[in-house]
Amino acid sequence: MSLSFHWFLPTSGDSRGLVVGGHGTPMSGDRPASLHYLNQIAAAAESNGFEAVLTPTGSWCEDAWLTTAMLVETTETLKFLVALRPGLISPFLAAQMAGTFQRHSGGRLLLNVVTGGEPLEQKAYGDFADKETRYTRTGEFLHVVKSLWNSREPITFQGEHLRVENALLTNHPDPVPPVFFGGSSGPAGPVAARYADTYLTWGEPVLAVSRKLDWIRGLAVDHGRKLDYGLRIHVITRDTSEEAWAVADKLLAGIDPADIERVQASLHKSESEGQRRMLELHGGSTDRLEIAPNLWAGVGLVRGGAGTALVGSHEEVAERLIEYAKAGIGHFVLSGYPHLEEAYWFGEGVLPILERKGLWQHPTRRRAARPAIPFAGASSS
């Protein structure tokens, strides 16, 4: 078992408290998402051994493609998990952009395909398709994009929602970027099974995550495919469990009850099944937020999307991650508040434990070669 860890770029801003909003709700932190600050987070992720950073997409954050392109020059090995929405860009242009990104970055692009589940936000972008249509369109989009990436002959495709004719890509991405894809509703499963390389899910209790992975595995087998699986979750890890829970309590104490009411009302309008499952974990209440050992649902009170955090000592968090890994999770896409400092808490506290257990290795650090002894073994003359 070899686990991969990824961090998060808070392109709507960062804070020492929970940043309120997201997923169709206005969102901003008191630490602006300046390029200078994002460069600090990228550097922290790279030095601590995170393989990539996820850059979100939505009306509440900076554009993912432009932001990550600006960070390529200041990083060396860090990859960028760029989120994009199929309904807002043509498949040919997306395939072309991926080729450009790979060439200029030295092959450091990963793609997170987001179908979208907030009607108000989708309409702001000019997308009035219903949920079923969005997933069908996503499948057609990925079919065309992957065909373009792998074909040296022109592609013609006539789908229900997308059409291309004699489309030939001249700058094929090298390597072809892996596609990360998430979705908990019925229409999402077949798309994931056919086109995803890594299926992503949010941080529910291990048993619920395991059942969802079994669902996708079964669908993938029908298509003769085998997928990787990833977990999107927050972390609060400290030297002791008491310290970590004190941080969680402080985050909770800093939440304005009016913000909980406002954000919950907005998120209940979401068409996302995954968002509905996140809301059910806490029910909008601050009572009983530890929904499983070391799994805290407090983040989801005021933040859309991934709404849970692993909270505990470095050893406890490592153990919980191992439990998810045993269920089939190989990629962990993590975040924490503030993202700069929390990258070090996790990188210096949890990753060494996993490395000692043989479950993780720094992606760029190589074991030092044994020093060569000049002329050793040479016969004297």
Side-chain angles (χ1 to χ4, degrees), residues 193-247:
R194 291 189 65 181
Y195 300 109
D197 298 299
T198 297
Y199 174 78
L200 276 178
T201 186
W202 290 332
E204 299 177 64
V206 175
L207 182 58
V209 169
S210 181
R211 287 172 176 166
K212 190 183 292 186
L213 267 54
D214 285 342
W215 168 52
I216 299 297
R217 283 193 193 99
L219 294 173
V221 167
D222 293 340
H223 293 284
R225 302 187 70 233
K226 184 177 181 181
L227 278 59
D228 291 332
Y229 297 93
L231 187 74
R232 173 76 182 97
I233 196 168
H234 305 270
V235 287
I236 303 172
T237 177
R238 294 296 185 270
D239 294 338
T240 68
S241 183
E242 291 76 18
E243 290 176 277
W245 283 107
V247 173

Side-chain angles (χ1 to χ4, degrees), residues 197-324:
D197 298 299
T198 297
Y199 174 78
L200 276 178
T201 186
W202 290 332
E204 299 177 64
V206 175
L207 182 58
V209 169
S210 181
R211 287 172 176 166
K212 190 183 292 186
L213 267 54
D214 285 342
W215 168 52
I216 299 297
R217 283 193 193 99
L219 294 173
V221 167
D222 293 340
H223 293 284
R225 302 187 70 233
K226 184 177 181 181
L227 278 59
D228 291 332
Y229 297 93
L231 187 74
R232 173 76 182 97
I233 196 168
H234 305 270
V235 287
I236 303 172
T237 177
R238 294 296 185 270
D239 294 338
T240 68
S241 183
E242 291 76 18
E243 290 176 277
W245 283 107
V247 173
D249 290 341
K250 185 176 180 180
L251 290 174
L252 185 62
I255 297 176
D256 185 339
D259 283 334
I260 296 178
E261 184 177 354
R262 175 175 60 86
V263 173
Q264 291 297 299
S266 176
L267 294 178
H268 272 90
K269 299 175 184 177
S270 173
E271 294 179 350
S272 166
E273 173 66 14
Q275 186 63 73
R276 184 193 65 78
R277 292 167 70 117
M278 285 287 103
L279 295 175
E280 283 188 345
L281 295 178
H282 53 70
S285 171
T286 57
D287 299 332
R288 298 185 298 277
L289 289 173
E290 188 178 4
I291 56 174
N294 303 106
L295 185 62
W296 185 63
V299 178
L301 291 171
V302 292
R303 184 194 189 280
T308 54
L310 290 175
V311 182
S313 67
H314 304 314
E315 291 78 8
E316 288 172 333
V317 170
E319 194 57 41
R320 299 291 86 75
L321 291 169
I322 292 171
E323 290 174 359
Y324 282 113

Side-chain angles (χ1 to χ4, degrees), residues 78-93:
L78 187 68
K79 297 177 183 177
F80 297 95
L81 180 50
V82 176
L84 82 158
R85 300 195 184 194
L88 309 182
I89 187 173
S90 79
F92 187 90
L93 181 57

Side-chain angles (χ1 to χ4, degrees), residues 1-20:
M1 185 187 299
S2 180
L3 306 179
S4 295
F5 289 89
H6 314 278
W7 199 239
F8 184 80
L9 279 179
T11 54
S12 58
D14 205 0
S15 178
R16 288 185 176 275
L18 294 176
V19 178
V20 177

